[in-house]
Each structure stands twice: as structure tokens, then as C-alpha cells.
Amino acid sequence: MPSHDPDRRNPLQHLGACRVCPLIQSRFRSWRFGPSWARENRESRQVIELIAYTQRVAALQADEQQRELNASAQMLSKDRGAYGRVRLALLLALPGTAFNDDTRAAGLLESLAGAGASESAPGPMQQFAGLLHAQISERLREQRRTVQLKEQLEALKAVERNIIEREQARPR
């Protein structure tokens, strides 16, 4: 039975009906309707699905969020593919959750984000993983910088206290 899903139709089927010369048909076939087009289309839908999923999880109560995290971790243990990695990383990177772990999220995305050096152009999932990895990595850098600045402030306060104590202890 033929599919009525417009995304599943072969865009070349209409060319056969009109007697277009074979050269034009072969040129048209080389356009983005091959296997890479199907992969990009599928991955684009998956990225949109993951964004919507993350928004839904962010609105859940803490115990429901934890269940979703556990389900995503279990999914990843069965299939270490890009979809499962990005899904779990998105949940781990959710701010304000009890399980927020940006370091682990960045680690899950690192291999996907670094795979841009391959011969083929990165697909939508890999591009999204790269963007997410960059944002999480930047957040980690900002957190480290904040910790460093707090430590410097505490060191300056200690020096100030030490100076005040010396002045108070000095005979007048």
C-alpha cells in the first residue's frame, strides 16, 4: 500500500511520468534526495523532538524528572548512538535540577562535537550536539571562573583581616 506521508514520497517519481531526458533525471537524482537527504530529514525531526522533550521534562516535578533521567540513562546503556547521548546530555544539563551534571553532559557530547573533522558534512544531530557541547563547556568555564574569583576574594579578605589584626596588636 503506498504511503501518503509527503516526506516518504520519492520526489523522482513525478519525473518518470513526464518524458524528461535521462541526463536531467540523473542531475535531479544527484540533488539532496538521496540517502543523505533522508538522514538529514530524520535527524532534523529528532533534534526538534529532543528540544520539545527537554522542555516537557523541565516543566515536570522533581520525581518525574528523575524518572525521565533514569529512562534516558537506560536507553543510552542499550544504544550508545547520537540520539541517546544528546537526550541524556540535555537532561543532565537542565539547570535547577537535583541531577544537574554539566561535566557529564559535556563528556557525553564530546565525541559527537569533535567528529566535525570527518570527510562528510555534519548532520543536524551532530551540529546540535556541537552547539550544545559549546554552550555547556562555556557554562563550565564560567563556573570555574566564578569559583576562582571567590577564592581570590576570600584570600584578599584573609589578607585584610591579617592586616587589621596586626594593626590592632601593635602598641601605640
Side-chain angles (χ1 to χ4, degrees), residues 7-37:
D7 292 328
R8 290 189 167 266
R9 277 191 304 218
N10 180 354
L12 301 176
Q13 75 191 53
H14 299 293
L15 282 182
C18 61
R19 306 275 182 220
V20 179
C21 84
L23 179 63
I24 294 174
Q25 283 184 352
S26 68
R27 272 289 183 221
F28 188 72
R29 251 185 218 101
S30 69
W31 289 354
R32 299 181 41 101
F33 297 112
S36 65
W37 177 81

Side-chain angles (χ1 to χ4, degrees), residues 128-148:
F128 182 60
L131 172 68
L132 189 58
H133 182 266
Q135 289 180 337
I136 293 169
S137 296
E138 180 60 30
R139 192 161 62 193
L140 286 168
R141 277 189 293 278
E142 288 172 5
Q143 289 169 356
R144 283 191 293 270
R145 180 72 178 142
T146 300
V147 167
Q148 183 183 28

Side-chain angles (χ1 to χ4, degrees), residues 94-112:
L94 272 177
T97 59
F99 51 78
N100 177 270
D101 188 347
D102 285 343
T103 303
R104 188 169 163 216
L108 284 168
L109 298 169
E110 195 165 8
S111 64
L112 291 170

Side-chain angles (χ1 to χ4, degrees), residues 5 13-14 39 45-46 55 114 128 163:
D5 180 6
Q13 75 191 53
H14 299 293
R39 179 183 65 92
R45 282 195 235 148
Q46 288 177 333
Q55 289 175 324
F128 182 60
I163 291 172

Side-chain angles (χ1 to χ4, degrees), residues 75-102:
M75 176 190 286
L76 182 63
S77 71
K78 293 178 183 174
D79 179 10
R80 304 273 312 160
Y83 181 87
R85 287 176 171 276
V86 173
R87 177 178 160 141
L88 183 56
L90 280 165
L91 294 182
L92 289 169
L94 272 177
T97 59
F99 51 78
N100 177 270
D101 188 347
D102 285 343

